[in-house]
Amino acid sequence: MANTPALFALMPTDLPPLSDSSAVEILDFLHELIFRFEAHYGAQIHRFYDQQRDIRINPPVAPRPDEEEPF
């Protein structure tokens, strides 16, 4: 998936006021969502980051312009 700009940015000032208990419940929900997401997609996430690290460490070498390809 390409890096695409966000359609809009959510600013903290855009968030509605919440009671303390509502804020905690939402935070707990988000933590649980992230935990389950990582549990399900963790291997894919790690594979992606490993590939990105490998590309940074060993960037692909472009053929030199003076080298002709055989075909």
Side-chain angles (χ1 to χ4, degrees), residues 18-19 23 26-27 29-30 35 37 40 43 54 61-62 66 68 71:
L18 297 173
S19 68
I26 291 171
L27 182 62
F29 168 79
L30 293 172
F35 173 76
F37 188 89
H40 188 79
D54 291 344
V61 178
D66 59 339
E68 293 186 26
F71 300 100

Side-chain angles (χ1 to χ4, degrees), residues 17-55:
L18 297 173
S19 68
D20 293 352
S21 63
S22 293
V24 170
E25 286 182 40
I26 291 171
L27 182 62
D28 289 345
F29 168 79
L30 293 172
H31 283 163
E32 186 67 21
L33 178 64
I34 294 296
F35 173 76
R36 291 179 187 223
F37 188 89
E38 285 182 324
H40 188 79
Y41 295 106
Q44 291 174 262
I45 293 167
H46 288 289
R47 185 170 52 244
F48 174 83
Y49 283 126
D50 289 345
Q51 290 169 350
Q52 295 302 306
R53 185 193 66 237
D54 291 344
I55 290 170

